[in-house]
Amino acid sequence: MRLARDDLVRRALDRVRGLSASKLIEPAPAYEVFDRGDHVRLVSGADALEPGMVWMDGADNVLITGFNAKVRRHCAFRVRGRGNVIFFGAYSQVASTNVVIEGNDNLVSFGAFATSSSSAFRIAGDGEHILVGDRCMFSSRITVGDADPLVIYDRKTGRRVDQRRNVVIGDHTWLAREVRVEPGAVIGADTIVGQGAVVTGVHPANVILAGAPSTVRTSGVNWSRNEDESLDAMEASTHYKILYLAARDAVVARIAGLGGAARDESKAV
Amino acid sequence: MELRAAAKAAFERVAAASAGRLLEPFEAYSHYMELGGSHWFTASPHAKPEPATTNVANKGDNNFVFVGFGGALPRVVRFRGPGNVIFLGPHSAASGALFDVQGADSLTYVGAFTTMETAASVFARPPASVIIGDHCYIGERVQASGSDHHGIYSLASRQRINNNRDILIGDRVFVGANTRINKGVVMEPGGIVLGGSIVTGTIRSNCAYHGVPARLIHEDVAWGSDAERFDDLDAALASAEESVAVRIDALKTRIATFTSRGAA
């Protein structure tokens, strides 16, 4: 039985808000709701772009894009199952990015101000999630998760060996070209993942990860999109002050105006 | 500055970087064309290419491209910034390659007889230069970048720790398809990197590397297309295609002609 549309919208947004590390998630009144037949589409802001291909086989699947999110052509979202949610946060910019979900009640959440130039997010399972924090930067040919419906069992106990299949990528993390993030991986905030790395396991914040499987190569670092000479120069730059801080404040104000509560009180770099 | 004089000054930077490699003197670069506002001097007459053949995006003054005798025009050249120089050596074959320069006063050097396959890309980010020697093979979709394109900072000092660095590739180096060459890489003459690798640090002379990151897999080796063994570069070239040896001789004669004419 299909859920009533209002219930579906509320449940999807609660799910995103409850799980996501993203601190800039607009409340329900921000969105215009469209019934697309095979899925429900929530759009915030007038100048939203539509992905090239959305194919959802099943029921109660929801696609949400936040304020001014640019989900460009050449993006393809394929979902087979029920109750799945795909979320792209405010001011996110996504091109040539695929989301493939096979199963029920899964969530792929891509944070506010995050960008992706060609990535694939894959989930095969039920109740799993891939969470990408705010302001992440995904380079080209990145794979997150795994489309194989693989479960490994211990032959003695009969229990699952690989319990963890959810992926969590912290705020402001830079994934370089051809990185693979395996199911179960947790990447901390302000981290750099080097080219071609295969990330498994749990990693702290402010590090450089590299290699296959990846290990921590350097600790105590941070990065920026600009090539400024120092963090101080970066924080003084127009790029940071206007394009990020001012836009973020606008989103925070928008969320507050709509009766929501932004949780972004941290001083982000 | 008058164009020819500016070109000569730019070419002197090429000559300084050539370090004794096969290089015709500036007088040989007698054919001029302007592509997208950048200045191209070639040693053999190239027809002005169709936009579909060579795609030039130029933002900046005083950007020069020199193409040696028999060298191919590359597929894509992008200049974002002034005073940059790209040199493609005599008989180099980089017709499918991409050169992307962002910043000012950089030098990109591709040596004589070097092949760059389709979609092989060089990203020059000043002040770093990219120097590729003679007789190299750069496979399809290889990307060589003198920069990480974004800043990485130490939290302790708050200073940038990933500054742009030169890429220096010696003579007769083989780089397999899809390999990424990071900033600061030095490849010594005769070095070999198998396809799909990520190169950091130094590739030693006559050693083969593979992997992510590229690791040593063979020592004391040489590469060639089909011959069974090579003793050194001269022997390799002697036993390689005869046409190459003929063209090298012809090129040396050509260089000598220009040099003696200049002396006289």
Side-chain angles (χ1 to χ4, degrees):
Chain A
M1 198 190 77
R2 292 184 67 154
L3 288 170
R5 203 173 72 172
D6 288 352
D7 285 346
L8 182 61
V9 168
R10 188 173 42 75
R11 213 176 71 160
L13 283 170
D14 285 350
R15 186 108 197 279
V16 175
R17 240 196 318 266
L19 277 172
S20 290
S22 175
K23 301 164 190 75
L24 293 167
I25 297 165
E26 297 152 88
Y31 303 98
E32 212 173 330
V33 182
F34 301 95
D35 212 325
R36 289 282 164 83
D38 58 351
H39 69 283
V40 172
R41 174 87 168 90
L42 272 63
V43 180
S44 168
D47 48 357
L49 298 176
E50 287 299 312
M53 199 273 277
V54 180
W55 180 87
M56 298 206 185
D57 184 15
D60 297 343
N61 296 309
V62 182
L63 169 60
I64 308 168
T65 55
F67 185 66
N68 216 3
K70 297 270 188 288
V71 179
R72 296 178 188 281
R73 289 187 310 135
H74 309 302
C75 289
F77 302 159
R78 286 191 299 277
V79 175
R80 191 196 300 272
R82 303 175 72 93
N84 297 294
V85 179
I86 300 174
F87 174 83
F88 287 91
Y91 285 95
S92 59
Q93 291 202 34
V94 183
S96 301
T97 291
N98 297 345
V99 178
V100 180
I101 298 175
E102 296 255 354
N104 305 320
D105 301 316
N106 298 296
L107 168 65
V108 171
S109 170
F110 195 74
F113 295 96
T115 64
S116 158
S117 58
S118 67
S119 313
F121 298 90
R122 299 194 178 117
I123 290 179
D126 296 330
E128 295 180 5
H129 55 252
I130 294 174
L131 307 177
V132 178
D134 294 340
R135 306 177 60 226
C136 288
M137 181 171 72
F138 283 38
S139 181
S140 305
R141 302 186 293 282
I142 285 163
T143 312
V144 181
D146 200 332
D148 300 330
L150 169 75
V151 180
I152 298 175
Y153 299 96
D154 185 318
R155 292 176 67 194
K156 287 202 191 73
T157 64
R159 292 217 186 94
R160 277 181 72 157
V161 173
D162 54 340
Q163 292 287 348
R164 300 182 59 94
R165 290 184 56 85
N166 295 327
V167 173
V168 179
I169 298 175
D171 286 348
H172 193 242
T173 287
W174 167 15
L175 272 57
R177 279 191 291 259
E178 290 170 24
V179 165
R180 250 172 58 204
V181 182
E182 295 287 285
V186 177
I187 302 176
D190 299 318
T191 284
I192 301 128
V193 184
Q195 292 180 76
V198 177
V199 185
T200 60
V202 180
H203 299 282
N206 292 104
V207 297
I208 297 178
L209 298 174
S214 65
T215 53
V216 173
R217 299 300 166 95
T218 311
S219 299
V221 295
N222 205 336
W223 66 276
S224 89
R225 280 173 196 267
N226 311 30
E227 294 193 70
D228 296 308
E229 281 312 302
S230 66
L231 282 175
D232 299 319
M234 196 277 292
E235 285 169 5
S237 69
T238 313
H239 187 277
Y240 180 75
K241 288 207 290 212
I242 307 293
L243 295 183
Y244 173 60
L245 283 184
R248 187 197 65 185
D249 290 348
V251 175
V252 170
R254 179 180 161 81
I255 291 171
L258 291 162
R263 289 185 283 146
D264 193 3
E265 57 288 313
S266 66
K267 180 173 175 289
V269 172
Chain B
M1 196 172 5
E2 196 239 326
L3 179 62
R4 191 82 194 163
K8 189 154 204 279
F11 192 81
E12 272 158 19
R13 291 168 55 198
V14 173
S18 72
R21 297 193 176 97
L22 291 166
L23 177 72
E24 300 145 291
F26 178 65
E27 290 67 36
Y29 292 80
S30 53
H31 303 275
Y32 172 74
M33 57 190 169
E34 185 183 321
L35 294 179
S38 59
H39 308 293
W40 292 55
F41 290 86
T42 63
S44 43
H46 283 282
K48 189 162 181 170
E50 297 293 319
T53 314
T54 294
N55 180 354
V56 180
N58 180 54
K59 289 177 186 165
D61 298 328
N62 263 331
N63 288 320
F64 290 95
V65 179
F66 298 98
V67 183
F69 184 80
L73 302 182
R75 176 83 176 77
V76 180
V77 173
R78 292 198 291 255
F79 288 113
R80 284 173 285 176
N84 297 291
V85 179
I86 295 175
F87 171 76
L88 304 172
H91 299 295
S92 61
S95 57
L98 178 152
F99 296 89
D100 180 296
V101 181
Q102 189 174 349
D105 303 322
S106 76
L107 173 64
T108 304
Y109 184 107
V110 177
F113 292 97
T114 283
T115 297
M116 291 179 71
E117 294 285 9
T118 306
S121 308
V122 171
F123 297 87
R125 294 291 183 270
S129 304
V130 179
I131 310 288
I132 302 174
D134 293 350
H135 304 289
C136 291
Y137 177 88
I138 312 292
E140 289 184 347
R141 295 179 299 280
V142 169
Q143 297 191 337
S145 179
S147 163
D148 291 339
H149 303 271
H150 307 279
I152 299 178
Y153 305 92
S154 159
L155 289 178
S157 70
R158 298 181 66 78
Q159 296 302 304
R160 189 169 177 195
I161 56 173
N162 68 332
N163 289 317
N164 299 348
R165 291 170 65 192
D166 293 345
I167 293 175
L168 302 174
I169 301 178
D171 294 343
R172 201 167 55 94
V173 166
F174 181 98
V175 183
N178 290 316
T179 293
R180 275 84 72 204
I181 303 170
N182 284 358
K183 65 187 194 307
V185 161
V186 174
M187 295 180 164
E188 295 174 358
I192 297 168
V193 177
L194 302 190
S197 302
I198 293 179
V199 186
T200 58
T202 299
I203 299 297
R204 281 161 47 208
S205 189
N206 295 317
C207 292
Y209 291 72
H210 193 205
V212 179
R215 294 190 182 88
L216 182 69
I217 57 168
H218 294 297
E219 284 182 287
D220 201 16
V221 290
W223 65 274
S225 48
D226 48 13
E228 297 223 331
R229 58 165 289 187
F230 296 117
D231 293 324
D232 54 36
L233 177 59
D234 289 339
L237 293 169
S239 59
E241 286 178 83
E242 199 178 321
S243 63
V244 174
V246 169
R247 283 188 293 168
I248 291 173
D249 285 344
L251 182 60
K252 283 178 177 165
T253 309
R254 186 177 155 78
I255 291 171
T257 311
F258 276 107
T259 310
S260 62
R261 201 188 294 164

